[in-house]
Amino acid sequence: MLRSSYLARAYSTLKAQSCQEYLTHCQKATISLSSRVFQGTFYEFQAKEALERHLHLSGLARVGGAGDNGIDLLGRWDLRCFQNPSSSADSPAQMPCDASGEVPVLIQCKNHATKIKPSVIRELAGVHEYHVNGSLKSVVPTFMFLVSPLALTKRAQVQMDTSQVPLIHVRISPMTRETSVRAEDAFLVLNWRNYTFGPAYMNNTARTLLLGLLVEKHHVFARGQPLD
């Protein structure tokens, strides 16, 4: 479980915690919807909502910005949703979680127009170590999620597969603004074309920890295949 003191320190100073709340903030603060700051931050909120909706992550808080120490979102992952109903009561699947059935998650979002390079995967390993061995101090495994629109390069895929950090890569396409709406209506999320969620891929370390659960049976996962 994430410690409340850690969450309190990690929360972003930006009060918005949803796509619509952030759009409203941008309208009031006259932030350009074509700026890099907007595009990066808006993508983080899209990832937050998508992961909560599709993979049962919960309590996700955006912590991106100066001093985020390499993470954009943090929260928990409810693994009880993936228990195998065919497991007997005498030999249930061993879940790598605490008594609540949840594990901590750290999430980095990369809204890049190019494929993810090996340096990003190496960076994730360092970020994971910093938080797990530093402020987080979780007694159960902490999973690291990478969210991006495009796949990894072949070298980055090798880097991910050999990492000892439990890594999960999820592809989420960024939402796009409807071009036919008035300028003031662009600050309403209903006037944005929705994202595409998936596919997703987990490395061997994550797969081993989740053995016996039905996570990879979820339609979004690429059945153990790299995301081309």
Side-chain angles (χ1 to χ4, degrees):
M1 183 69 69
L2 293 174
R3 296 186 300 170
S4 58
S5 59
Y6 181 73
L7 280 171
R9 291 195 304 273
Y11 263 90
S12 169
T13 55
L14 179 63
K15 299 303 181 184
Q17 287 295 331
S18 71
C19 289
Q20 183 56 67
E21 288 178 2
Y22 181 59
L23 285 170
T24 301
H25 164 78
C26 290
Q27 185 176 31
K28 292 178 179 178
T30 62
I31 295 174
S32 171
L33 300 186
S34 59
S35 68
R36 287 190 176 184
V37 170
F38 170 80
Q39 292 170 8
T41 304
F42 193 47
Y43 186 70
E44 292 166 9
F45 284 118
Q46 294 167 47
K48 174 183 182 295
E49 293 185 2
L51 291 169
E52 289 178 336
R53 176 181 298 177
H54 295 284
L55 285 182
H56 304 286
L57 274 66
S58 63
L60 293 183
R62 180 184 174 271
V63 296
D68 62 13
N69 294 313
I71 58 173
D72 299 308
L73 303 165
L74 61 80
R76 300 177 300 278
W77 191 11
D78 189 351
L79 295 178
R80 293 169 296 181
C81 305
F82 301 102
Q83 283 186 289
N84 191 339
S86 64
S87 297
S88 67
D90 296 329
S91 57
Q94 294 297 311
M95 295 201 299
C97 54
D98 58 21
S100 70
E102 299 176 334
V103 293
V105 293
L106 303 171
I107 303 164
Q108 190 174 99
C109 303
K110 296 290 187 183
N111 188 15
H112 290 181
T114 58
K115 289 186 175 183
I116 299 296
K117 298 179 179 179
S119 58
V120 173
I121 305 302
R122 291 193 293 270
E123 175 190 336
L124 290 180
V127 168
H128 182 272
E129 181 179 5
Y130 173 85
H131 288 280
V132 170
N133 296 332
S135 301
L136 196 58
K137 297 188 185 303
S138 174
V139 296
V140 295
T142 298
F143 286 77
M144 187 89 207
F145 280 71
L146 170 65
V147 177
S148 70
L150 299 179
L152 280 63
T153 65
K154 290 183 178 180
R155 289 177 58 197
Q157 186 70 51
V158 171
Q159 188 81 37
M160 178 174 175
D161 283 335
T162 56
S163 175
Q164 297 304 303
V165 172
L167 293 172
I168 297 176
H169 177 217
V170 183
R171 289 178 60 179
I172 301 177
S173 66
M175 297 169 68
T176 55
R177 187 176 15 156
E178 295 284 359
T179 57
S180 58
V181 300
R182 298 177 302 172
E184 58 269 29
D185 291 335
F187 293 96
L188 296 174
V189 73
L190 57 84
N191 290 322
W192 289 72
R193 296 188 187 95
N194 207 5
Y195 55 78
T196 300
F197 187 81
Y201 175 78
M202 67 176 69
N203 70 353
N204 292 328
T205 304
R207 189 174 296 112
T208 299
L209 288 170
L210 298 171
L211 193 65
L213 299 177
L214 300 178
V215 178
E216 271 196 303
K217 296 294 185 182
H218 191 290
H219 66 86
V220 75
F221 279 91
R223 301 295 186 268
Q225 298 300 314
L227 308 184
D228 295 325

